[in-house]
Amino acid sequence: MNLRTWKFSALICLLSAGLVPGADLARPTPRITYEMPDEVDAPVDPDADELAAFDDYSWRAFIAIDWPAKLGIRGVPDETKKIGDFSDPGSKVVWGTWKADYDLFQPEGTEPTEWFSFDGFTPCPGLPFAGSGHTMVLGSFSGFRDFNQAGSGGLGSPLIAQNHTYIRFEVRLNQVEFDFIRNRQLYRKTLLPAAGGPKLRFPDNSVAVKAAWRVIKSDELPAAQRRYYMVDAMVLDPVSGKCKMQKMGLVGLHIVQKTPKRPQWVWSSFEQIDNVPEPGTTPTNGRHYSFNDPSRRQSPDPSTAPRPISRSNLPADNPRPMQVIRSKKIAGSTRKTNADYQALLRGTVWENYQLVLTQWPKFPQPEEENGAPFPGQFTGPDPMTNIANTTMETFFQKSAATSCMACHDVARRKGTDFVWFLQLRAN
Ligand code: HEC
């Protein structure tokens, strides 16, 4: 082989391995498996276009944690089942068996029970301590917190669906993250890092999710059955102080995982496809969206973030629906990955979910730094593509300064390694 042909074949090798700086990585082959990826299958290379690799990671994480879980144990996928198989009564998805925020922050300083225990106090006064973990609960000990999205200073706005109901939010943690918090008693405010003191470093493969749920009314049930992941949950009415069993449909899911090569975590966000029309498309009259009325003007109403629900701003009985739009298009490459995975999930409710963004640290070293997120640096031009979930950051869709990593950077600077809820919920 002469030098010229050698150079040429070396270039072909590099190209096919996707290693040429600046060249697109090869598009990973989509696969359906219960195995949670513990790293993103891409080199750390700030010059490479890694979007397809990160989006593939996001989908695999979504599928793994939405796998039907083994009954009676926390956090273990049932390998004998297929994704979307809910034939067992009482079956949950893997993340649905993880510990919830209220499992950690028990009232009056009660110690949280260990990972595998199903005992604990819940915000529903009627549920007995023993075995309460077998019931899905949506509510908060503080009464109103699960009505509100995140705001720039902590608490943000409520979201009201077209069916005149409030969206409810919850946070759940895998065993790695839960054990780290429980062992260090980080549910106590006094044990959180002090200003200027040493900061926390969560263990690799800590995973947290934040979910948004909407009430499915009985007349919506037949159509929703095929389109939503639905659960029966005890939902707290903070005004009466009582919980009522309700059908809830999953409308949004954030997943974050700290990985060995990405210590600033990898940020993935999914939505149900009927949330809002996609920008650039004409909303179809007659199509039922959860958060958008196609016959109304396609601009956000309210246009700015409304006040949080609280003791002094109680939830209304029949609240007026909000008009929500997606401000920025989902990236073209992400839409392609969505179509590939949705095709593999055909016939399950999961074909009705879409990845709306993945965000990651472009420069993960040094790990004490913010990692220079992509898309959207903290300063500089705002990204062209979507950086928010319409169900969880309805009023923060436009600016890089309010992307996932930018907002969670506030918690990093306070010493809790990007983890926000410790700052807000520790007692
Ligand atoms: C405007 C600020 C803000 C933005 C933007 C934001 N978050 Fe959060 N996030 C929060 C706050 C505050 C909490 C704590 C909520 C609570 O305790 O109720 C939180 C909670 C979470 C949690 C639960 C674990 C934790 O850190 O508390 C996850 C997971 C999460 N967010 C992911 C995301 C993702 C993914 C995005 C981007 C699509 C995002 N967030 C955008 C502020 C934000």
Side-chain angles (χ1 to χ4, degrees), residues 324-337:
V324 179
I325 59 158
R326 191 189 307 289
S327 305
K328 294 186 180 193
K329 277 188 185 170
I330 299 170
S333 168
T334 307
R335 295 205 303 270
K336 163 96 178 69
T337 305

PDB file of all heavy atoms in Angstrom, residues 324-337:
ATOM      1  N   VAL A 324     -51.077  26.729  26.366  1.00  0.00           N
ATOM      2  CA  VAL A 324     -49.628  26.507  26.374  1.00  0.00           C
ATOM      3  C   VAL A 324     -49.168  26.220  24.944  1.00  0.00           C
ATOM      4  O   VAL A 324     -49.836  25.491  24.201  1.00  0.00           O
ATOM      5  CB  VAL A 324     -49.265  25.311  27.279  1.00  0.00           C
ATOM      6  CG1 VAL A 324     -47.764  25.050  27.270  1.00  0.00           C
ATOM      7  CG2 VAL A 324     -49.753  25.553  28.708  1.00  0.00           C
ATOM      8  N   ILE A 325     -48.045  26.825  24.577  1.00  0.00           N
ATOM      9  CA  ILE A 325     -47.445  26.487  23.281  1.00  0.00           C
ATOM     10  C   ILE A 325     -45.986  26.101  23.501  1.00  0.00           C
ATOM     11  O   ILE A 325     -45.395  26.471  24.518  1.00  0.00           O
ATOM     12  CB  ILE A 325     -47.523  27.653  22.266  1.00  0.00           C
ATOM     13  CG1 ILE A 325     -46.803  28.879  22.835  1.00  0.00           C
ATOM     14  CG2 ILE A 325     -48.959  27.994  21.907  1.00  0.00           C
ATOM     15  CD1 ILE A 325     -46.384  29.834  21.756  1.00  0.00           C
ATOM     16  N   ARG A 326     -45.432  25.343  22.579  1.00  0.00           N
ATOM     17  CA  ARG A 326     -43.995  25.081  22.644  1.00  0.00           C
ATOM     18  C   ARG A 326     -43.300  26.194  21.881  1.00  0.00           C
ATOM     19  O   ARG A 326     -43.638  26.467  20.729  1.00  0.00           O
ATOM     20  CB  ARG A 326     -43.664  23.714  22.031  1.00  0.00           C
ATOM     21  CG  ARG A 326     -42.211  23.288  22.339  1.00  0.00           C
ATOM     22  CD  ARG A 326     -41.742  22.051  21.590  1.00  0.00           C
ATOM     23  NE  ARG A 326     -42.608  20.897  21.737  1.00  0.00           N
ATOM     24  CZ  ARG A 326     -42.747  20.183  22.856  1.00  0.00           C
ATOM     25  NH1 ARG A 326     -42.051  20.497  23.923  1.00  0.00           N
ATOM     26  NH2 ARG A 326     -43.577  19.167  22.905  1.00  0.00           N
ATOM     27  N   SER A 327     -42.345  26.868  22.535  1.00  0.00           N
ATOM     28  CA  SER A 327     -41.738  28.048  21.911  1.00  0.00           C
ATOM     29  C   SER A 327     -40.742  27.685  20.820  1.00  0.00           C
ATOM     30  O   SER A 327     -40.641  28.382  19.819  1.00  0.00           O
ATOM     31  CB  SER A 327     -40.992  28.883  22.948  1.00  0.00           C
ATOM     32  OG  SER A 327     -41.834  29.224  23.996  1.00  0.00           O
ATOM     33  N   LYS A 328     -39.972  26.620  21.062  1.00  0.00           N
ATOM     34  CA  LYS A 328     -38.916  26.291  20.092  1.00  0.00           C
ATOM     35  C   LYS A 328     -39.072  24.865  19.618  1.00  0.00           C
ATOM     36  O   LYS A 328     -39.450  23.980  20.399  1.00  0.00           O
ATOM     37  CB  LYS A 328     -37.545  26.449  20.750  1.00  0.00           C
ATOM     38  CG  LYS A 328     -37.237  27.872  21.105  1.00  0.00           C
ATOM     39  CD  LYS A 328     -35.828  28.020  21.607  1.00  0.00           C
ATOM     40  CE  LYS A 328     -35.581  29.483  21.935  1.00  0.00           C
ATOM     41  NZ  LYS A 328     -34.192  29.783  22.140  1.00  0.00           N
ATOM     42  N   LYS A 329     -38.708  24.669  18.370  1.00  0.00           N
ATOM     43  CA  LYS A 329     -38.848  23.338  17.770  1.00  0.00           C
ATOM     44  C   LYS A 329     -37.939  22.324  18.443  1.00  0.00           C
ATOM     45  O   LYS A 329     -36.806  22.651  18.814  1.00  0.00           O
ATOM     46  CB  LYS A 329     -38.419  23.393  16.299  1.00  0.00           C
ATOM     47  CG  LYS A 329     -39.488  23.861  15.375  1.00  0.00           C
ATOM     48  CD  LYS A 329     -39.019  23.681  13.929  1.00  0.00           C
ATOM     49  CE  LYS A 329     -40.060  24.261  13.013  1.00  0.00           C
ATOM     50  NZ  LYS A 329     -39.646  24.357  11.639  1.00  0.00           N
ATOM     51  N   ILE A 330     -38.414  21.106  18.534  1.00  0.00           N
ATOM     52  CA  ILE A 330     -37.553  19.995  18.945  1.00  0.00           C
ATOM     53  C   ILE A 330     -36.537  19.788  17.816  1.00  0.00           C
ATOM     54  O   ILE A 330     -36.900  19.857  16.633  1.00  0.00           O
ATOM     55  CB  ILE A 330     -38.409  18.724  19.158  1.00  0.00           C
ATOM     56  CG1 ILE A 330     -39.437  18.982  20.272  1.00  0.00           C
ATOM     57  CG2 ILE A 330     -37.544  17.525  19.481  1.00  0.00           C
ATOM     58  CD1 ILE A 330     -40.479  17.895  20.413  1.00  0.00           C
ATOM     59  N   ALA A 331     -35.271  19.545  18.167  1.00  0.00           N
ATOM     60  CA  ALA A 331     -34.221  19.415  17.146  1.00  0.00           C
ATOM     61  C   ALA A 331     -34.581  18.339  16.121  1.00  0.00           C
ATOM     62  O   ALA A 331     -35.148  17.297  16.474  1.00  0.00           O
ATOM     63  CB  ALA A 331     -32.891  19.079  17.821  1.00  0.00           C
ATOM     64  N   GLY A 332     -34.242  18.579  14.874  1.00  0.00           N
ATOM     65  CA  GLY A 332     -34.567  17.650  13.790  1.00  0.00           C
ATOM     66  C   GLY A 332     -34.012  16.249  14.047  1.00  0.00           C
ATOM     67  O   GLY A 332     -34.706  15.243  13.830  1.00  0.00           O
ATOM     68  N   SER A 333     -32.779  16.184  14.507  1.00  0.00           N
ATOM     69  CA  SER A 333     -32.162  14.880  14.777  1.00  0.00           C
ATOM     70  C   SER A 333     -32.925  14.147  15.885  1.00  0.00           C
ATOM     71  O   SER A 333     -33.113  12.927  15.831  1.00  0.00           O
ATOM     72  CB  SER A 333     -30.700  15.097  15.185  1.00  0.00           C
ATOM     73  OG  SER A 333     -30.161  13.922  15.716  1.00  0.00           O
ATOM     74  N   THR A 334     -33.392  14.905  16.883  1.00  0.00           N
ATOM     75  CA  THR A 334     -34.154  14.308  17.988  1.00  0.00           C
ATOM     76  C   THR A 334     -35.480  13.762  17.463  1.00  0.00           C
ATOM     77  O   THR A 334     -35.918  12.676  17.839  1.00  0.00           O
ATOM     78  CB  THR A 334     -34.400  15.367  19.074  1.00  0.00           C
ATOM     79  OG1 THR A 334     -33.150  15.952  19.435  1.00  0.00           O
ATOM     80  CG2 THR A 334     -35.076  14.777  20.301  1.00  0.00           C
ATOM     81  N   ARG A 335     -36.101  14.505  16.541  1.00  0.00           N
ATOM     82  CA  ARG A 335     -37.378  14.030  15.985  1.00  0.00           C
ATOM     83  C   ARG A 335     -37.188  12.726  15.221  1.00  0.00           C
ATOM     84  O   ARG A 335     -38.021  11.825  15.265  1.00  0.00           O
ATOM     85  CB  ARG A 335     -37.996  15.110  15.077  1.00  0.00           C
ATOM     86  CG  ARG A 335     -38.392  16.376  15.850  1.00  0.00           C
ATOM     87  CD  ARG A 335     -39.508  17.148  15.154  1.00  0.00           C
ATOM     88  NE  ARG A 335     -39.151  17.520  13.797  1.00  0.00           N
ATOM     89  CZ  ARG A 335     -38.546  18.663  13.457  1.00  0.00           C
ATOM     90  NH1 ARG A 335     -38.222  19.539  14.400  1.00  0.00           N
ATOM     91  NH2 ARG A 335     -38.263  18.929  12.212  1.00  0.00           N
ATOM     92  N   LYS A 336     -36.051  12.629  14.550  1.00  0.00           N
ATOM     93  CA  LYS A 336     -35.759  11.395  13.802  1.00  0.00           C
ATOM     94  C   LYS A 336     -35.587  10.223  14.791  1.00  0.00           C
ATOM     95  O   LYS A 336     -36.140   9.131  14.598  1.00  0.00           O
ATOM     96  CB  LYS A 336     -34.492  11.628  12.964  1.00  0.00           C
ATOM     97  CG  LYS A 336     -33.804  10.398  12.435  1.00  0.00           C
ATOM     98  CD  LYS A 336     -34.241  10.109  10.989  1.00  0.00           C
ATOM     99  CE  LYS A 336     -33.554   8.894  10.371  1.00  0.00           C
ATOM    100  NZ  LYS A 336     -33.961   7.618  10.950  1.00  0.00           N
ATOM    101  N   THR A 337     -34.819  10.462  15.851  1.00  0.00           N
ATOM    102  CA  THR A 337     -34.636   9.415  16.861  1.00  0.00           C
ATOM    103  C   THR A 337     -35.984   9.029  17.468  1.00  0.00           C
ATOM    104  O   THR A 337     -36.266   7.845  17.690  1.00  0.00           O
ATOM    105  CB  THR A 337     -33.664   9.893  17.970  1.00  0.00           C
ATOM    106  OG1 THR A 337     -32.439  10.302  17.345  1.00  0.00           O
ATOM    107  CG2 THR A 337     -33.375   8.804  18.987  1.00  0.00           C
TER     108      THR A 337
END
